[in-house]
Amino acid sequence: DAKTTQPNSMESNEEEPVHLPCNHSTISGTDYIHWYRQLPSQGPEYVIHGLTSNVNNRMASLAIAEDRKSSTLILHRATLRDAAVYYCIRDDSGGSNYKLTFGKGTLLTVNP
Amino acid sequence: NAGVTQTPKFQVLKTGQSMTLQCAQDMNHEYMSWYRQDPGMGLRLIHYSVGAGITDQGEVPNGYNVSRSTTEDFPLRLLSAAPSQTSVYFCASSYHSVNEKLFFGSGTQLSVL
């Protein structure tokens, strides 16, 4: 079973907000949600992570549903540089980095 | 800080040849790891290390060896390359192995003919 479910692709326009969904219906109370992104021809880059409440940093916001079965990565104002594959990762290992599973992610296209 | 540095960026091998992919980090990170990424796929963990002298297998370790003699370096060795090892390889590191964000290198694209 996949730990998370994401759409294969999404499209957005430059300077508009983007909401990237992630479903993790089998999540347990101690599982963190991590988001990484991978720009073309680069290694993945950490975006944000959280457990229960919403999280904000300079790159994005993470909104976690009250029942924690889904979450949404929010890019407040998309730029062309945000075009990337976004990975939603459910960490059910208690935080062990070697247990993080990168699935296929969501390919975000940003139109000028 | 250079971050995580991988060399070479590109490599072409013939079946049966051996080579070492280099990975170095200058952030004094304890945890280092190697992933491979095949077209249209996510990343799969090959080997990881939680500190100098300590290594362990990930999801797809067959055909690869690693060692961690220093904190900074974590080389990945292919002893006898096979076409199935054609992939993009990423090295990653973090300060600790638990609840720390991963820093990735820019990758090595390997083709085995």
Side-chain angles (χ1 to χ4, degrees):
Chain A
D1 284 335
K3 293 182 180 180
T4 63
T5 304
Q6 300 178 253
N8 290 333
S9 62
M10 291 184 64
E11 241 181 273
S12 174
N13 295 321
E14 200 175 7
E15 299 189 3
E16 290 184 356
V18 181
H19 292 235
L20 295 162
C22 180
N23 182 287
H24 28 81
S25 57
T26 59
I27 198 169
S28 69
T30 58
D31 297 351
Y32 276 82
I33 294 297
H34 299 252
W35 283 83
Y36 282 77
R37 71 179 185 181
Q38 186 174 20
L39 279 66
S41 301
Q42 293 189 27
E45 172 187 34
Y46 169 83
V47 178
I48 201 166
H49 78 284
L51 182 62
T52 54
S53 56
N54 296 344
V55 185
N56 300 294
N57 65 21
R58 65 174 180 80
M59 289 181 69
S61 295
L62 176 60
I64 301 174
E66 200 168 329
D67 63 5
R68 301 190 69 237
K69 295 184 183 300
S70 65
S71 60
T72 303
L73 180 70
I74 302 166
L75 307 179
H76 295 286
R77 208 161 156 265
T79 69
L80 297 178
R81 195 193 171 278
D82 292 320
V85 176
Y86 286 79
Y87 299 99
C88 170
I89 304 166
R90 190 190 105 196
D91 174 15
D92 60 357
S93 69
S96 301
N97 280 353
Y98 40 89
K99 299 288 188 181
L100 295 183
T101 303
F102 288 76
K104 295 184 181 181
T106 296
L107 174 62
L108 175 66
T109 302
V110 180
N111 300 314
Chain B
N1 280 355
V4 180
T5 303
Q6 290 185 237
T7 56
K9 291 192 181 303
F10 302 95
Q11 183 70 49
V12 179
L13 292 178
K14 294 181 180 178
T15 297
Q17 285 186 316
S18 63
M19 81 157 294
T20 299
L21 307 186
Q22 301 291 345
C23 176
Q25 51 87 14
D26 61 357
M27 298 174 282
N28 200 30
H29 284 174
E30 287 187 352
Y31 177 80
M32 296 186 75
S33 56
W34 277 101
Y35 290 85
R36 62 176 287 174
Q37 185 174 35
D38 300 309
M41 303 286 288
L43 281 76
R44 291 185 292 170
L45 182 64
I46 305 171
H47 285 284
Y48 64 93
S49 168
V50 298
I54 305 169
T55 63
D56 208 342
Q57 297 181 349
E59 180 186 355
V60 288
N62 292 343
Y64 307 95
N65 279 355
V66 292
S67 60
R68 184 95 180 269
S69 56
T70 67
T71 299
E72 295 78 19
D73 300 297
F74 191 44
L76 179 72
R77 297 184 186 87
L78 285 70
L79 298 178
S80 179
S84 61
Q85 294 178 304
T86 294
S87 190
V88 180
Y89 291 84
F90 291 101
C91 179
S93 73
S94 61
Y95 191 59
H96 289 301
S97 64
V98 179
N99 276 332
E100 293 278 350
K101 64 181 181 181
L102 288 166
F103 292 82
F104 283 82
S106 57
T108 295
Q109 188 166 325
L110 176 67
S111 295
V112 183
L113 307 178

